[in-house]
Amino acid sequence: MANEEDCRAALDRVAARLAEVDADRLAEHVVERTISCRIPDLGLAYRTRLHQGGLDPFEPDGDPGSAQVRLTVGSDDLVAMAHDELNPAKAWVAGRVKIEASIFDLLRLRKLL
């Protein structure tokens, strides 16, 4: 099982990859949203803000249910997705990643994956 440090590094890696997306493409598909990532097997949750400039740094979150987009993923799966060892869409279909968001937010996220 991955630990807290592994998960923080994975989230930072995801943020760095999003920063590499072409600014015009990002601006086309991104609207400002709060995003939480809950990692239940470690009892952790993090929050960030997505905007046209990318992602703000992830911070510990005591109330992940209040975010506009809520992800729930196991520690090992989070690390695997960050290292391109697990496809996020396939993980979602298999139930390994849970995403709670409006249908419009889901469609936008799909375009960025």
Side-chain angles (χ1 to χ4, degrees):
M1 178 170 59
N3 61 33
E4 182 175 356
E5 185 177 307
D6 297 332
C7 291
R8 285 296 309 218
L11 291 171
D12 291 342
R13 186 177 178 106
V14 169
R17 285 196 357 226
L18 189 60
E20 295 173 359
V21 174
D22 178 69
D24 291 335
R25 181 172 178 227
L26 199 59
E28 180 181 343
H29 297 293
V30 169
V31 294
E32 187 171 319
R33 292 287 184 261
T34 55
I35 299 175
S36 68
C37 180
R38 194 170 70 83
I39 308 162
D41 57 320
L42 296 179
L44 300 172
Y46 296 95
R47 179 182 293 256
T48 188
R49 184 178 63 92
L50 176 67
H51 48 84
Q52 291 185 354
L55 285 175
D56 288 345
F58 284 90
E59 299 292 335
D61 186 11
D63 185 19
S66 67
Q68 294 164 308
V69 177
R70 297 167 304 281
L71 305 172
T72 302
V73 60
S75 58
D76 289 337
D77 289 336
L78 174 62
V79 171
M81 285 189 297
H83 288 77
D84 291 327
E85 298 166 357
L86 177 63
N87 179 291
K90 289 181 181 180
W92 176 70
V93 169
R96 295 169 70 176
V97 175
K98 183 178 177 183
I99 303 172
E100 298 172 85
S102 74
I103 188 70
F104 300 110
D105 287 338
L106 289 172
L107 292 172
R108 284 186 196 105
L109 283 172
R110 184 178 151 256
K111 291 178 183 180
L112 287 174
L113 294 178

